Amino acid sequence: MSTAAREPEPRANSIAATIRERGQRVTPQRMAVIEEFLTRRDHPSVEQIYRSVSERFSMMAVSTVYDTLRLLVELGEAVEVSAGGSETRYDPLTGDHCHLICTQCKQVIDLDMPGDAEAKLSPAAVERVGFAAERVIVQAYGLCAQCRSTASTRTS
Amino acid sequence: MSTAAREPEPRANSIAATIRERGQRVTPQRMAVIEEFLTRRDHPSVEQIYRSVSERFSMMAVSTVYDTLRLLVELGEAVEVSAGGSETRYDPLTGDHCHLICTQCKQVIDLDMPGDAEAKLSPAAVERVGFAAERVIVQAYGLCAQCRSTASTRTS
DNA sequence: CTCGTTGCAAATCATTTGCAATGGA
DNA sequence: TCCATTGCAAATGATTTGCAACGAG
């Protein structure tokens, strides 16, 4: 809608720096994916990023988007969100929060979480089975506000 | 290992009854899938169920397994577990518990959860965005005991 | 006989693999 | 030049669709 095209995106630069530090290359494809990913306010899927990016920059394959997002996850700059069996979504927010996933429109809504995620499950019990938890996630499936009102209109 | 073949499985009968009550049919394919699903102690994928069942009963397509598991989920007799982007697993345990998912071997471990799942996220905050949560899930990704010891043997 | 239900083959969609091209040392 | 890294086309794997056969009323 507005001139969303060329904001400097300081975070993109910092990510680029990290990639260079690791001895990896900062290529136009990677930057295009990273910029698009950081700019969005939703939780885009690979396909969505691919579509937006390939409009402006046609040298781009879907698998490159996969590669780049996987790299971002490795760097801790993105989090995978499996939106209920369907397409995987990616979230640039890395802090403690959880996800509300609409089972109808597949939208993912962020929700701040009171307290630490680890605390959500009993550490003693986890210990007992010898499991080393790296990441604890809390998600709720249900209907978002829009889909709720649509559902009540058309008698399901 | 033992004669696991023909236990009566009271729960299978009760599910069959529910299906009939809904005016749907209790077919051999469905019963084969349901029996196999309830008998297993792991959290089988569609593919795993398909393989076991089609050994004994060759009139069986993978998509029928999908159909039947979807029906079980609808009946509240199964729960989908998306084991980290890969194949979906199904859990016959319906009570309050959470899942530890090994990112290496994809094994899913059940863990009793102290307290109610809903309580894990702030109801007030959920309300504020107008979301109607149906099911709250808590999962941890990490390494199971076996994969941990294997990993430390071979220098990752 | 009729019409909703079922099972399945084939189609589709998401993701991974393998390899040719690239570019920094 | 050399070799690790990159991007991508093609392959694979998971899931859905569409439709022929079935069976209860």
Side-chain angles (χ1 to χ4, degrees):
Chain A
M1 227 168 255
S2 64
T3 58
R6 281 296 93 95
E7 287 147 53
E9 263 307 349
R11 189 167 160 202
N13 291 335
S14 119
I15 293 175
T18 310
I19 292 176
R20 258 188 234 98
E21 275 163 32
R22 296 176 112 217
Q24 292 183 283
R25 298 183 213 144
V26 177
T27 63
Q29 284 94 331
R30 278 181 178 172
M31 284 320 281
V33 171
I34 293 171
E35 290 278 355
E36 176 66 25
F37 174 61
L38 296 178
T39 299
R40 281 179 168 261
R41 283 283 144 269
D42 54 352
H43 299 75
S45 65
V46 168
E47 188 61 28
Q48 287 174 313
I49 292 181
Y50 173 69
R51 265 204 291 273
S52 310
V53 167
S54 56
E55 277 169 19
R56 283 181 271 147
F57 181 65
S58 63
M59 284 300 292
M60 175 64 59
V62 201
S63 48
T64 300
V65 180
Y66 277 93
D67 290 341
T68 306
L69 287 172
R70 196 175 299 127
L71 176 61
L72 289 177
V73 170
E74 222 180 294
L75 298 179
E77 297 285 350
V79 163
E80 282 190 15
V81 187
S82 29
S86 82
E87 233 178 4
T88 300
R89 308 305 202 82
Y90 290 83
D91 187 349
L93 252 67
T94 259
D96 259 342
H97 68 288
C98 60
H99 291 127
L100 307 178
I101 300 168
C102 179
T103 48
Q104 192 159 297
C105 70
K106 309 292 184 193
Q107 155 176 213
V108 177
I109 300 166
D110 290 315
L111 191 79
D112 279 334
M113 195 160 42
D116 191 32
E118 312 273 323
K120 300 298 170 187
L121 33 78
S122 141
V126 179
E127 182 60 33
R128 202 173 310 128
V129 295
F131 192 87
E134 266 153 31
R135 208 161 62 77
V136 178
I137 66 167
V138 179
Q139 315 183 308
Y141 291 92
L143 289 179
C144 69
Q146 295 103 285
C147 289
R148 271 219 278 183
S149 49
T150 310
S152 53
T153 304
R154 325 165 159 232
T155 336
S156 167
Chain B
M1 226 167 248
S2 64
T3 58
R6 281 296 92 95
E7 288 147 52
E9 264 305 351
R11 190 167 160 201
N13 291 336
S14 119
I15 293 175
T18 311
I19 292 176
R20 259 189 232 97
E21 274 164 34
R22 298 177 110 216
Q24 291 183 284
R25 300 187 210 139
V26 176
T27 63
Q29 284 95 332
R30 277 181 179 171
M31 284 320 282
V33 171
I34 292 171
E35 289 279 357
E36 176 67 24
F37 174 61
L38 295 178
T39 299
R40 281 179 168 262
R41 283 281 142 273
D42 54 352
H43 299 74
S45 65
V46 167
E47 189 61 26
Q48 288 173 312
I49 292 180
Y50 172 69
R51 266 204 291 273
S52 311
V53 167
S54 56
E55 277 169 18
R56 282 181 272 148
F57 180 64
S58 64
M59 283 301 291
M60 174 65 60
V62 201
S63 48
T64 301
V65 180
Y66 276 94
D67 290 342
T68 306
L69 287 171
R70 195 175 301 126
L71 176 60
L72 288 178
V73 169
E74 223 180 295
L75 298 179
E77 298 284 351
V79 164
E80 282 191 15
V81 187
S82 30
S86 80
E87 232 178 8
T88 301
R89 307 306 201 83
Y90 290 83
D91 188 349
L93 253 68
T94 259
D96 260 341
H97 68 287
C98 60
H99 291 128
L100 307 178
I101 300 169
C102 178
T103 49
Q104 193 159 296
C105 70
K106 309 293 182 192
Q107 155 175 213
V108 177
I109 300 166
D110 289 314
L111 190 79
D112 278 334
M113 195 162 39
D116 190 33
E118 312 273 321
K120 302 298 171 186
L121 33 79
S122 140
V126 178
E127 183 60 34
R128 204 174 307 127
V129 295
F131 192 88
E134 266 152 33
R135 210 162 60 78
V136 178
I137 66 167
V138 179
Q139 315 182 311
Y141 290 93
L143 289 179
C144 70
Q146 294 102 287
C147 289
R148 270 219 279 182
S149 50
T150 311
S152 54
T153 304
R154 325 167 158 229
T155 335
S156 166

